[in-house]
Amino acid sequence: MIKTITFAMIHFSIATIVAYALTGDLLLGSLIAMIEPSINTVAFYAHEKAWEHFPFLKKRQSMTKVKTISFAVIHFNVAFLVTYALTGDAFLGGLMATIEPAINSFAYFFHEKAWFNKTNKHNHNQQVVCA
């Protein structure tokens, strides 16, 4: 759950900046920035659980690029739907769905790499201590 919380903090920050920049409206930008990452945080948690549960995905945990792409697809869809629902503007929804998830996918890649390295280092240290 700590992994989800750390990514949520990154996601909320990026969404706020992008939504405000696109709308020019602090209230609407903030609303988009609160709802879209909230839904994507739940999606992120489900995505992580799927990658831990299914053997086909579990074997590929270290494939950061593949895992990033799979989450990006979810993220693009959520960003579009939330922005479109709140603004009624498909073009703005498309912009938000392109810009915000692209920046967050970049952040996700490095977050995932850092988390994978931390987990592997922790597991390696436990094996050394137990041996």
Side-chain angles (χ1 to χ4, degrees):
M1 188 58 108
I2 292 171
K3 183 179 180 183
T4 300
I5 292 168
T6 58
F7 186 70
M9 291 170 26
I10 293 167
H11 192 164
F12 276 95
S13 300
I14 292 169
T16 300
I17 293 165
V18 173
Y20 175 69
L22 290 176
T23 63
D25 182 322
L26 186 58
L27 182 60
L28 183 58
S30 297
L31 190 59
I32 292 168
M34 287 174 24
I35 295 171
E36 188 271 337
S38 296
I39 293 170
N40 265 319
T41 298
V42 174
F44 176 86
Y45 182 76
H47 181 261
E48 286 299 306
K49 289 299 176 189
W51 275 79
E52 291 171 6
H53 178 74
F54 295 105
F56 173 79
L57 296 174
K58 195 171 189 166
K59 286 185 221 172
R60 291 157 179 82
Q61 280 280 15
S62 65
M63 298 176 74
T64 308
K65 290 177 187 173
V66 174
K67 196 171 178 188
T68 299
I69 291 167
S70 72
F71 183 67
V73 170
I74 295 166
H75 193 161
F76 282 105
N77 285 298
V78 171
F80 174 80
L81 292 171
V82 168
T83 305
Y84 178 68
L86 291 173
T87 65
D89 186 335
F91 180 72
L92 191 58
L95 280 176
M96 185 69 173
T98 303
I99 297 168
E100 189 268 343
I103 296 169
N104 265 311
S105 293
F106 184 75
Y108 175 89
F109 177 82
F110 289 102
H111 180 266
E112 189 64 25
K113 272 225 175 280
W115 201 267
F116 183 78
N117 290 337
K118 178 184 178 208
T119 303
N120 280 347
K121 189 176 201 177
H122 176 73
N123 289 342
H124 177 72
N125 288 341
Q126 280 186 334
Q127 289 172 355
V128 170
V129 170
C130 293

